[in-house]
Amino acid sequence: MQTQDVIVIGGGVIGCSIAYYLAKKGADVVVLERDRIGAHASSAAAGMLGAQVEMAFPGPMSDLCFRSRAMFPELGRELYERTGLDIELNTAGLLRVAWDRTEAEELRDRARWQRELGGRAEWWETRSVREDEPEVRADITGALFLPDDAQVSAPRLTLAFARAAQALGVRLLEGCEVTGFLTDGDQVTGVETVVGTFRAGAVVLAAGAWSGVLARRLGLNLPVFPVKGESLALRPNRLPHRKTLFAHGCYLVPKADGRIVVGATEKEHDFSPGVSLGAIHRLAHEATRLVPSLAEADVLSYWSSVRPGSGDGLPLMGRLEAVRGLYVASGHFRNGILLSPITGALMAELISGTAVPELAPFSPDRLLESTARR
Ligand code: FAD
Ligand code: GLY
């Protein structure tokens, strides 16, 4: 039996970020990871910080994304100083390409509200796009240039959070599957794992797409489910574009090591491993449609993982009314890399006892269909 202040279930980017920010506040934290740190979505991700490209309308989620994206330059320096790991922040910006006039009009509308919120967004006609990125196909209908939508190496970010947390005293236990919860009335007091039991004043459920499965062990119907994504990596002879390109059908993310990451499919409620031939075919088709010269690139690798989807598309972050001592940080769906710093910082505040009004729109209680307990 081991006792600490906080148990974090899940060693993905969300669990590791929360552990890091808690440790900065002096908390005694253990992260329990079933497989390896960053073994799942957090290393499969393309690493886009798409605060603008991924948001179709304004609201608390868009505000949170803007805030989190702004944390990266300082965070990158901080994590480098603590761990020597470079998260490879790339600030060349992103082009959200339109294939037709309807899409171009939607993107111009989006640019208007994003500018009102203080974001930068410029409409570029096709000629300007091709002057900047000549290998983009000529028959697009322009693109929205988002200079502040950046990208990082998702596996490095996850590892850097983990190592920085470890350097501050956090224990990271890999191969440690949580199999159940210890309770005392309506209070969670710890967890059972394959290697023994752990007790703590607070337990954070940050198990990505598996968070819903684990919550059921407490009789909670938490709507977090897998949304499988399949991707591939290409190695072109020379980098055909510097900016991230994002269109209906695919995105192309140029990485520091010369690879282009092509993503990604979306398959709801699918935990299956593997990558289908259909997915590779579709991604290859869309990638060469956008940048024809990619047809000459070598295929390096392909992979899949599961995004943590949520009932209404927004993350679940906060404590649960029905179960004292239990916190949830999950359901970040397509934006967990982007949202990892703000999630870690705000959850650490909350767990330390500070009121965090910014988290109210993301309260897990909004989605709890049944609080019937065992
Ligand atoms: P995970 O990384 O899945 O971590 C959860 C961890 O919990 C896992 O390691 C798992 O082993 C562990 N776990 C599960 N059950 C247990 C248990 N019982 N006991 C102990 N541990 C357990 N986001 C972006 O912001 N930008 C992108 O460009 C981007 N691209 C993506 C591309 C793809 C193909 C995919 C799949 C996702 C992408 N995402 C992107 C989304 C992002 O990857 C996720 O939102 C984020 O990684 C979720 O982090 P997490 O820590 O919640 O989940
Ligand atoms: N944000 C990109 C993806 O989830 O595929």
Side-chain angles (χ1 to χ4, degrees), residues 209-211 213 224-226 228 267-273 306:
W210 295 270
S211 301
V213 177
V224 177
F225 54 84
K228 178 172 171 175
K267 297 177 177 171
E268 286 196 0
H269 301 285
D270 187 348
F271 266 124
S272 66
V306 280

Side-chain angles (χ1 to χ4, degrees), residues 8-19:
V8 177
I9 307 173
V13 75
I14 297 299
C16 292
S17 172
I18 294 169

Side-chain angles (χ1 to χ4, degrees), residues 44-50 53-54 227-231 246 251 253 263-266 307 332-338:
M48 290 178 288
L49 310 179
V53 75
E54 293 270 4
V227 184
K228 178 172 171 175
E230 296 148 290
S231 300
F246 195 120
Y251 49 75
V253 188
T265 59
E266 270 192 24
R307 306 173 183 88
H332 292 74
F333 187 35
R334 295 178 58 97
N335 294 297
I337 302 301
L338 165 64

Side-chain angles (χ1 to χ4, degrees), residues 8 42 53 79 83 113 121 145 148 156 233 273 277-278 282 339 346:
V8 177
S42 300
V53 75
L79 292 177
T83 67
W113 67 256
F145 175 44
D148 301 316
R156 279 171 166 261
L277 183 59
R282 213 198 83 198
L339 288 172
L346 295 181

